[in-house]
Amino acid sequence: MSERTHPTAILLMAMGGPDCLENVEPFLLDVRGGRPTPPELVAEIRERYRATGGKSPAVGITQSMARTLERRLNESGADRYRVYVGLRHWHPFIKETYAELLKADPDHVIGMCMAPQQSSLSTGAYRKKVEEARAAFQSAVPVSYVGSWHTHPGLIAAIVERIKQALLKFPADVRASVPVLFTAHSLPERIVAMKDPYPEEVKGTIEAVTALLGQQPTTFAYQSQGRSSEPWLGPTVESKLDALGLEGHRHVLVAPIGFICDHVETLFDIDIELKQRAAAQGMQLERMAMLNDQPALVETLLDIVAAHESSLCLQS
C-alpha cells in the first residue's frame, strides 16, 4: 500500500466566544441570528466576561488541544493529520477554517463537535455550517462526522477522577455524603417534541459516571437557560440548589458534565453566581475541574478518531 500523500483534516468545532469585551455585542448578534440584543443584556453579559478575564477562554483551550492532538496523531512521523478549530459564532468561524484546511489539499475531513452529547440545535448546527462551507467552496473532499461520545470510557473516567479530586475540598467527615449536582446546558423544551437525543444522552453520561462513583449521592439540573420567551429544559440549577439547602445539605459539588472546557457558563454562572447563592444559604459549593486541554481528554479524542477511521474502513 502506497504512502498517503494527502493529509486527513480533523475539524474540531465549538460554539466560540468573544475574544475581548468590545466583541461581546457582535458575538451576541451572531448567536441571535442577526437580531439585536437589548443594550441592558449586552451590558450584563459584558460584565460577566469582565469578571472572568475579559474574554472567553474556550477558544484558546480548544486551539491548545488541537495542537496537542495533532502532535499525538503524527507521532509515528508520517505527518498524516492536520487538526483545525472552527467556531460556530465567532472567529475563526467554521467557514473561515474550512477555507484554510482546503489549502492542505486533504483527502478527507473528519468533523468532531467538542460537545459529548448531541443535539440538533447544537451539534447539528455545526454540521450545517460545514455543509454550507462545502457548498460555498464547491468542495468535493469527502466529509464524515464523529457521532456522539457521551459515554466514551475515557471521558467517563476523566470526569470521575475530577469529581473525586474535587470532593477533597470538603471536610473529610462529610465527603461521603456531599451530593454531586450534575449540570448540562439547557436547551429549549421544544427539542423533546422533536425527539432530540440530547436529554437522553445527558442522562446516559450521568448514569455512566454515577455507576463508578459508588454510594455518592447525586442529582441533576440544567443550567444557563436562555433569555427567551419559550420554555427551556429544567429543573434549573438554582431551584435544585435551593431544594438541597432545604433538605439540610451544607455542602454541594457541581459537576458540569455537559461541558468539556471552561467558559462563562462555568467561570461565572457556577463559580461566581451559583457559589454566591449557596453561600447566602450557608452552603459550601465547589466545582469539579473541567477537562480543558489535559492529557485525559486528548487521549480520549485520539481513541475516538481511531475508532471513527476504523468504521470508515469497514464501510468502504
Side-chain angles (χ1 to χ4, degrees):
M1 186 174 180
S2 61
E3 184 66 32
R4 183 187 302 185
T5 57
H6 301 279
T8 293
I10 297 175
L11 175 59
L12 305 182
M13 296 177 286
M15 180 172 175
D19 48 9
C20 63
L21 294 176
E22 290 74 23
N23 284 333
V24 168
E25 186 168 13
F27 165 72
L28 292 174
L29 189 67
D30 195 89
V31 170
R32 292 166 59 86
R35 291 179 293 114
T37 309
E40 60 275 14
L41 183 55
V42 173
E44 178 187 330
I45 294 177
R46 186 181 289 121
E47 288 309 304
R48 291 177 175 232
Y49 281 103
R50 191 190 307 279
T52 54
K55 64 179 181 178
S56 171
V59 180
I61 292 169
T62 308
Q63 289 171 333
S64 172
M65 182 169 56
R67 290 191 295 270
T68 306
L69 179 61
E70 181 175 289
R71 186 173 67 250
R72 292 282 283 109
L73 283 166
N74 291 319
E75 276 184 346
S76 65
D79 203 27
R80 292 175 50 208
Y81 298 91
R82 296 282 185 276
V83 183
Y84 302 84
V85 174
L87 307 177
R88 180 178 165 196
H89 289 302
W90 199 243
H91 303 284
F93 287 108
I94 288 172
K95 186 176 181 181
E96 295 171 344
T97 299
Y98 208 85
E100 185 65 27
L101 71 81
L102 288 178
K103 294 176 183 177
D105 193 20
D107 63 3
H108 186 82
V109 177
I110 297 175
M112 186 187 307
C113 297
M114 293 294 93
Q117 301 90 11
Q118 302 232 4
S119 166
S120 59
L121 296 189
S122 57
T123 55
Y126 298 136
R127 296 185 182 193
K128 183 180 178 183
K129 292 289 187 183
V130 172
E131 295 306 318
E132 288 173 355
R134 292 180 75 193
F137 299 124
Q138 299 181 320
S139 172
V141 178
V143 176
S144 62
Y145 298 97
V146 168
S148 174
W149 46 289
H150 69 291
T151 56
H152 188 282
L155 172 72
I156 301 305
I159 292 173
V160 170
E161 176 60 27
R162 276 151 183 75
I163 289 173
K164 290 180 176 179
Q165 287 296 316
L167 284 169
L168 298 178
K169 298 177 181 179
F170 297 97
D173 60 334
V174 303
R175 284 174 200 156
S177 61
V178 173
V180 176
L181 173 52
F182 294 109
T183 68
H185 203 299
S186 185
L187 291 176
E189 243 178 45
R190 56 187 156 88
I191 69 167
V192 176
M194 297 161 53
K195 301 194 183 307
D196 191 281
Y198 184 71
E200 282 302 310
E201 294 203 357
V202 168
K203 181 181 177 183
T205 302
I206 292 170
E207 289 177 346
V209 171
T210 301
L212 298 181
L213 283 179
Q215 299 301 309
Q216 199 75 34
T218 62
T219 188
F220 168 73
Y222 284 104
Q223 68 167 86
S224 310
Q225 280 77 3
R227 306 292 185 88
S228 64
S229 56
E230 65 178 321
W232 285 60
L233 294 173
T236 67
V237 70
E238 292 84 4
S239 66
K240 183 63 70 172
L241 178 69
D242 293 349
L244 288 171
L246 289 173
E247 290 170 12
H249 291 284
R250 289 297 168 260
H251 308 85
V252 60
L253 173 61
V254 180
I257 51 85
F259 308 88
I260 61 170
C261 74
D262 279 314
H263 39 60
V264 73
E265 283 88 352
T266 57
L267 299 174
F268 187 90
D269 294 6
I270 296 174
D271 293 357
I272 295 177
E273 203 167 51
L274 200 63
K275 184 167 279 198
Q276 289 174 349
R277 190 184 187 98
Q281 301 176 56
M283 301 171 72
Q284 177 189 359
L285 183 146
E286 304 290 347
R287 173 176 64 83
M288 76 171 199
M290 305 311 295
L291 302 183
N292 289 330
D293 56 353
Q294 295 303 298
L297 181 58
V298 174
E299 293 302 314
T300 297
L301 297 183
L302 278 170
D303 189 66
I304 291 170
V305 170
H308 182 74
E309 291 198 307
S310 294
S311 69
L312 292 177
C313 289
L314 292 174
Q315 293 170 24
S316 60

